[in-house]
Amino acid sequence: MPRTSPAVALDALLAGNARFVSGTPDHPNQDAARRTELAPGQDPFAVILGCSDSRLAAEIIFDQGLGDLFVVRTAGHVLGTEVLGSVEYATSVLGARLVVVLGHDSCGAVAAARAAVEDGFAAGGFIRDVVERVTPSILAARTAGLTTDGDIIDEHIRHTVGLMLDRSRLLSEQVESGEVAVVGLGYALSDGNARVVTTRGDVRTDAAAVDAGSSAS
């Protein structure tokens, strides 16, 4: 895809996801010609921060190909300096116009953090670091009176979007200028559908039914 706007980039992702859900993917940009074209450099139109869950392969669920997406994955899509640096690189150096935080139902990291808060479960090793980074989302959900798994996962997606913009001055300035937008998407493992949870920046598009309250959060 040539250089585009955040809204067009989101449209492309949602259209690809619709093809994936319907079982009619195009499998674009996956041939030898594309491989050769990309050898000198990459030009992704979106950067995806997604959970490391093996069921959440971004290029597959959004029906994209080589060079289309810059993908960063961590358990529970938790943020660290290396993640923020990767996202900033994708937008400021590679020119990606859309940043997506991709969460999903039945997330093990969210479940572990919830168990830590509610039952005093203590994770061992570096898993504890992941749990601790998800815990603020669990506490925010409790404060808001959210109790279902779906609502808590959505809160974690919103929290990650907000934290990303709070911690990255570069990214927040790109959003304020309209150059980049950040979107939180929730993925359903059973049917493969990706839905908009929250947005920051201008992604006005007919393809996305965005809740105005969530967008402002």
Side-chain angles (χ1 to χ4, degrees):
M1 176 184 293
R3 184 54 52 228
T4 186
S5 69
V8 172
L10 179 58
D11 272 340
L13 289 182
L14 295 179
N17 179 246
R19 294 193 299 270
F20 170 72
V21 171
S22 67
T24 58
D26 289 343
H27 302 297
N29 298 328
Q30 298 181 18
D31 57 10
R34 178 65 167 175
R35 186 177 67 234
T36 302
E37 176 190 353
L38 289 171
Q42 58 178 315
D43 187 30
F45 69 86
V47 52
I48 312 289
L49 169 58
C51 182
S52 298
D53 194 294
S54 61
R55 300 164 291 182
L56 204 68
E59 289 87 353
I60 294 176
I61 69 174
F62 293 118
D63 191 29
Q64 302 299 319
L66 296 172
D68 292 330
L69 304 178
F70 189 90
V71 182
V72 184
R73 300 177 70 178
T74 62
H77 52 79
V78 297
L79 287 174
T81 55
E82 68 286 352
V83 172
L84 290 168
S86 297
V87 173
E88 290 182 347
Y89 175 77
T91 60
S92 63
V93 178
L94 300 180
R97 297 284 67 102
L98 183 70
V99 178
V100 174
V101 174
L102 179 62
H104 66 95
D105 54 1
S106 301
C107 179
V110 172
R114 190 175 182 181
V117 170
E118 296 176 355
D119 306 321
F121 167 76
F126 287 104
I127 300 174
R128 180 175 181 177
D129 183 65
V130 174
V131 170
E132 288 177 347
R133 294 187 190 211
V134 179
T135 296
S137 299
I138 307 301
L139 296 176
R142 292 185 68 181
T143 300
L146 305 176
T147 58
T148 68
D149 289 340
D151 286 343
I152 291 171
I153 288 170
D154 284 357
E155 178 60 30
H156 181 47
I157 293 170
R158 288 190 291 267
H159 178 80
T160 303
V161 169
L163 184 62
M164 180 183 292
L165 290 170
D166 286 344
R167 295 187 62 187
S168 173
R169 180 177 179 180
L170 174 62
L171 189 59
S172 63
E173 289 176 348
Q174 289 174 326
V175 171
E176 288 174 5
S177 71
E179 182 182 0
V180 172
V182 182
V183 176
L185 299 181
Y187 178 76
L189 294 171
S190 60
D191 62 24
N193 184 65
R195 60 186 174 79
V196 176
V197 174
T198 187
T199 69
R200 299 289 185 90
D202 186 3
V203 287
R204 287 172 292 181
T205 166
D206 292 337
V210 182
D211 178 80
S214 294
S215 298
S217 63

